[in-house]
Structure formats: structure tokens, C-alpha cells
């Protein structure tokens, strides 16, 4: 994906996560397709478990999604000219996540299926969530942290002089 904007005087800052503004559309598309195929397979198994009776395809899909995708809740606040996005991610560590911060979007996805241990079984889950931000941010100076299951992304908002639409 090409960046939607160019910034004046931008400089990169090291963070605990790699900031990837120019991730190829095909990379995200392939990742999302992989997750959708896994959900479709689970939905088909649910259909088979019901005796292959037609008419509940949406129920099967939504149940498969709820079983396979880890829920992520977002909140976005503005404090002193910075947007602060907080995502509650039900994982003990952040090693399995990839965070992409773009001009006006944050994408959280897994690096592959995540194995979650439950009392009587193991479950393979996936993570994929994209959130559109209300205003453009300077992703080059975004600060990202993860503590106690909360992923926090803080970045300054871009003013009109810093944000010039690409031609």
C-alpha cells in the first residue's frame, strides 16, 4: 500500500515494534485471505456437525469467527495533540503480534496461528483488526507499548502544514 501522504521533516524513531507504513496491499490481503479460509473451514465443519442441513450458513460463519478470532477492543483518546489508541489484546506476551501504524489506520495482526491453552484442550486462534483513526497521525514518531494485555499506540496528530496529500 502506498502512503497516502508525505510529511515535511519526518524522521524515524526506534520502538519495540516495527512501524510499517508502506506494507504491500497484497501482504495484508494474503494474510486476511488465510484467516478467512481458516474461518470458512471451521464454518464448514460446523455445517457438517449439524448434519449438512442448509439454512444456517451465517450462524456457522459467525460462530466460527467467534471461536477463531481473538476479540480486541479499542479506545481512542486525544491528549495534548496526540492520539492514543489502546487495544485490549487477550495475550500474555506480544511476540505473536505485528502492529502496523499508518497515517490514518492501525492494523494489529498475528504472525501466524496462536495456540491458546484451555483447561481441557488447545485452540488455534487468529488476530486481525484494523482501526481507522479519526485524524492523520505522524506514524514515524509513534510510540508503542504492551503491558498487562494492553497495547498502546501514541502518536502526534498531523496538522494541515505537516500533511500534504500525495499526487
Amino acid at each position: 500500500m502506498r502512503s497516502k501522504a508525505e510529511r515535511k521533516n519526518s524522521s524515524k524513531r526506534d520502538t519495540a515494534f516495527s512501524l510499517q507504513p508502506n506494507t504491500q496491499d497484497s501482504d495484508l490481503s494474503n494474510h486476511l485471505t488465510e484467516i478467512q479460509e481458516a474461518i470458512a473451514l471451521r464454518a464448514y465443519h460446523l455445517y457438517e456437525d449439524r448434519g449438512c442441513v442448509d439454512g444456517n450458513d451465517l450462524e456457522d460463519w459467525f460462530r466460527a469467527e467467534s471461536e477463531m478470532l481473538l476479540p480486541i477492543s479499542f479506545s481512542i483518546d486525544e491528549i495534548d495533540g496526540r492520539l492514543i489508541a489502546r487495544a485490549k489484546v487477550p495475550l500474555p506476551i506480544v511476540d505473536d503480534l505485528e502492529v502496523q501504524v499508518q497515517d490514518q489506520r492501525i492494523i494489529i495482526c498475528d504472525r501466524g496461528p496462536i495456540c491458546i491453552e484451555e483447561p481441557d484442550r488447545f485452540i488455534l486462534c487468529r488476530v486481525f483488526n484494523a482501526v481507522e483513526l479519526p485524524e492523520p497521525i505522524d506514524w514515524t514518531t509513534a510510540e508503542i507499548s504492551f503491558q498487562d494485555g494492553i497495547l498502546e499506540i501514541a502518536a502526534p496528530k498531523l496538522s494541515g502544514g505537516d500533511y500534504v496529500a500525495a499526487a
Side-chain angles (χ1 to χ4, degrees), residues 3 6 8 14 34 80 88 144-145 149 157 160:
S3 179
E6 297 186 19
K8 298 177 185 174
D14 291 335
E34 179 185 313
D80 296 328
K88 185 173 182 183
I144 304 174
S145 63
K157 296 187 325 181

Side-chain angles (χ1 to χ4, degrees), residues 84-101:
I84 300 175
R86 290 182 186 89
K88 185 173 182 183
V89 182
L91 293 173
I93 57 172
V94 75
D95 293 345
D96 296 323
L97 292 180
E98 180 177 323
V99 178
Q100 298 173 16
V101 178

